[in-house]
Amino acid sequence: MNYCKLGNSELKISEVSFGCMSLKEEVDNVKQLIHLAIDNGINYFDTADLYQQGQNEVMLGNALKGFRDKVIVGTKVGNQLREDGNGWDWNPSKKYIIQSVEESLRRLQTDYIDLYQLHGGTIDDAIDETIEAFEQLKEEGKIRYYGISSIRPNVIREYVKRSNIVSVMMQYSLLDRRPEEFCLNLLQEHTIGVLARGSVAKGLLSGKPVTDYLNYTTSEVKKTIEVLKNVSREDKSIGQTAIQYVLKHPSITSTVIGIRTEQHLLETIATSKLKVLGDEEYGLLKKSNKPAFYENHR
């Protein structure tokens, strides 16, 4: 497994990491998958207080007993569940963040969170107040570093200017190349790590039935997948090549993959052992479609 430094932090993260949102609630299976991931070099596990109304953090905390000093844990905050259980509301206030970290620490059964991320964000937020909350938690030792999870260029720019974020999590794949316009380069220039999610585009780039995706029609998606198959040949799966495409960009620290099965986990881990995607292959993949651009929140 290859490891990359996350931005200007001291965290070295496996280039393929474990997105916990997809985990089902069979506890033994969760422990087995996470322990297998650790045994094979994955050291970053990403969750959120919103997933399964906090139960996802509980499952991860239980599975990491005895392994806490060997792994890097990231979770997220900002979506406040309603008391009646019917959805959630956006709340990036300092009070709510300070309150929420205590609940996440309890569920994760840990004294600190390695990477605490704002789970969204709008340009109308009281951004300085949000930053103040994260900085206070750093001073108190409850979190080591903080970042944001956002695809909004205007929000990302503000946090780059005004905060000490070490990372941005964003959707990025061969079928969602919007970050290539300027977000990835901006973050690279400021030594802020990128955690890529959605690298296989909801499974379209790993074998699921073809359909429309974002601004791409079904026929356009098929064209991209055909190029992906040609580049992959018999050496690797198209899903592995799709992950390699994401990792090829120098701004990417890790691709966070949602894992549900042992087979999927082992195939994902094997990506790190494959020959690096060549420049010619990378060029062919880039030519397989026309990149879209963010239309809103610019």
Side-chain angles (χ1 to χ4, degrees):
M1 181 66 70
N2 299 314
Y3 299 88
C4 304
K5 190 178 178 186
L6 182 65
N8 57 12
S9 77
E10 295 180 356
L11 304 175
K12 283 195 171 179
I13 289 181
S14 51
E15 67 174 358
V16 173
S17 50
F18 199 121
C20 298
M21 185 175 71
S22 300
L23 289 174
K24 297 179 181 178
E25 295 189 35
E26 293 85 11
V27 176
D28 289 340
N29 183 52
V30 168
K31 287 182 179 179
Q32 180 182 344
L33 278 177
I34 288 175
H35 294 174
L36 184 60
I38 294 170
D39 289 344
N40 282 275
I42 287 180
N43 73 343
Y44 178 62
F45 295 85
D46 188 272
T47 182
D49 59 3
L50 182 66
Y51 301 159
Q52 294 153 300
Q53 299 184 333
Q55 186 59 31
N56 200 271
E57 287 183 327
V58 172
M59 289 191 295
L60 180 59
N62 286 333
L64 291 180
K65 286 180 181 177
F67 293 92
R68 184 64 185 93
D69 61 339
K70 298 179 176 64
V71 299
I72 296 167
V73 175
T75 190
K76 309 181 194 76
V77 65
N79 293 294
Q80 184 174 13
L81 290 166
R82 295 173 186 155
E83 289 186 8
D84 62 5
N86 185 24
W88 58 85
D89 298 301
W90 178 238
N91 188 351
S93 69
K94 180 178 180 180
K95 180 180 178 182
Y96 181 66
I97 292 170
I98 298 295
Q99 166 193 323
S100 296
V101 77
E102 300 297 340
E103 293 300 309
S104 286
L105 288 168
R106 178 183 59 80
R107 288 190 291 261
L108 289 164
Q109 302 177 59
T110 185
D111 296 326
Y112 65 94
I113 292 163
D114 296 291
L115 181 64
Y116 205 33
Q117 301 158 93
L118 185 67
H119 202 175
T122 77
I123 200 65
D124 297 320
D125 294 342
I127 292 174
D128 289 331
E129 179 187 330
T130 301
I131 294 168
E132 196 176 296
F134 285 116
E135 290 291 345
Q136 179 178 321
L137 293 176
K138 272 183 68 178
E139 289 178 14
E140 294 173 352
K142 292 176 181 177
I143 67 173
R144 295 178 66 190
Y145 302 98
Y146 65 96
I148 62 172
S149 176
S150 178
I151 62 170
R152 296 182 173 188
N154 57 0
V155 172
I156 291 169
R157 276 196 300 267
E158 288 305 308
Y159 276 90
V160 169
K161 283 185 209 172
R162 295 153 70 174
S163 78
N164 295 311
I165 58 170
V166 299
S167 67
V168 174
M169 174 175 276
M170 62 171 61
Q171 182 169 294
Y172 177 47
S173 74
L174 185 55
L175 287 177
D176 187 358
R177 296 172 56 195
R178 293 175 295 176
E180 291 177 0
E181 183 186 4
F182 61 81
C183 284
L184 296 182
N185 292 334
L186 172 70
L187 295 170
Q188 185 180 1
E189 287 168 11
H190 287 83
T191 321
I192 295 169
V194 178
L195 300 172
R197 61 177 178 82
S199 300
V200 293
K202 294 185 176 179
L204 288 175
L205 299 178
S206 60
K208 283 193 174 180
V210 178
T211 185
D212 295 353
Y213 188 77
L214 297 178
N215 293 329
Y216 297 112
T217 65
T218 299
S219 60
E220 289 172 327
V221 172
K222 282 182 179 178
K223 178 184 173 185
T224 294
I225 291 173
E226 282 305 311
V227 176
L228 193 62
K229 287 178 178 177
N230 290 336
V231 169
S232 302
R233 296 187 294 276
E234 296 179 359
D235 301 328
K236 53 194 169 185
S237 71
I238 61 170
Q240 290 172 325
T241 304
I243 290 171
Q244 285 192 315
Y245 175 84
V246 171
L247 290 173
K248 183 76 171 177
H249 197 286
S251 68
I252 305 298
T253 303
S254 181
T255 176
V256 182
I257 306 293
I259 303 292
R260 286 187 179 178
T261 68
E262 181 176 325
Q263 180 182 353
H264 185 204
L265 173 63
L266 293 175
E267 181 181 318
T268 301
I269 290 167
T271 306
S272 193
K273 302 173 184 177
L274 296 171
K275 181 181 177 182
V276 176
L277 194 66
D279 291 341
E280 183 178 347
E281 296 170 313
Y282 187 58
L284 290 172
L285 291 172
K286 289 178 82 73
K287 290 177 183 176
S288 71
N289 60 40
K290 289 183 65 176
F293 304 104
Y294 289 118
E295 297 177 0
N296 302 313
H297 312 291
R298 293 184 63 86

